[in-house]
Amino acid sequence: MTDQELQTLVEELSLEKFNVPFLHEVYFNKRLKTTGGRYLLHSHNIELNPKSYEVFGIEELRGIILHELCHYHLHIRGMGYKHRDVDFRTLLKKVGAPRFCSTIEENKKQLNTNLHIYECLSCQQQYPRKKRMNIEKYKCGKCHGKLKKVIES
């Protein structure tokens, strides 16, 4: 799906479900990893995660679009557009939009993996790190002992 097709879909959904036109831009943003989409407060544009569409299909994308349109229309009207607001939750139910989108498992795995584990030679305190660490420069925070690398995956 191209950005132009996406723009057309959002404009149609806005008129169909909200009876109000969508007057700003919507586009795919490949940098989104943990969210299906986001509404930008200052520009009023909507960004969507293309991976959600690729993995879960058009129905999931429609749900994400409706969710973001709820933020959009409430914010434009000056009503409660945040997740915790009653106006937002009421509008979600009215248009049949999901409160949360499906989780993309491969992104979840990438974010939660610790690649390097260091251990103190004296007290065996372990330090999991996502980035490599210079063991000549750093010492154990507990006993100030020397560190060694245990696991690198």
Side-chain angles (χ1 to χ4, degrees), residues 20-51:
V20 180
F22 178 73
L23 303 173
H24 294 84
E25 290 182 40
V26 63
Y27 47 88
F28 286 116
N29 183 348
K30 292 180 182 175
R31 290 176 293 147
L32 295 178
K33 299 292 181 196
T34 60
T35 183
R38 67 179 169 193
Y39 166 64
L40 303 171
L41 295 173
H42 298 291
S43 65
H44 303 295
N45 294 339
I46 294 176
E47 297 180 339
L48 297 171
N49 186 345
K51 197 81 167 171

Side-chain angles (χ1 to χ4, degrees), residues 58-153:
I58 190 72
E59 287 307 312
E60 179 72 17
L61 183 66
R62 283 176 174 266
I64 294 168
I65 291 169
L66 287 175
H67 179 99
E68 299 308 326
L69 281 173
C70 288
H71 287 297
Y72 170 80
H73 288 298
L74 290 170
H75 182 251
I76 295 285
R77 291 183 201 147
M79 299 169 76
Y81 62 89
K82 296 178 183 174
H83 286 115
R84 65 177 177 260
D85 293 330
V86 175
D87 293 334
F88 180 73
R89 291 187 184 191
T90 305
L91 188 57
L92 278 180
K93 287 179 185 172
K94 182 181 173 188
V95 298
R99 185 144 178 247
F100 304 103
C101 67
S102 302
T103 306
I104 300 171
E105 290 299 321
E106 66 185 53
N107 288 343
K108 196 174 181 182
K109 285 182 205 169
Q110 287 175 354
L111 291 173
N112 291 334
T113 55
N114 291 324
L115 302 174
H116 310 281
I117 297 180
Y118 298 91
E119 185 176 82
C120 176
L121 294 173
S122 303
C123 67
Q124 284 71 45
Q125 173 73 34
Q126 290 195 341
Y127 298 94
R129 295 289 182 263
K130 289 182 182 178
K131 292 185 178 181
R132 264 188 323 200
M133 200 168 93
N134 182 356
I135 58 175
E136 299 300 321
K137 186 177 177 183
Y138 295 99
K139 295 183 178 188
C140 175
K142 192 174 176 182
C143 72
H144 302 287
K146 288 193 117 204
L147 297 176
K148 71 172 182 175
K149 188 163 204 163
V150 180
I151 296 175
E152 179 177 353
S153 52

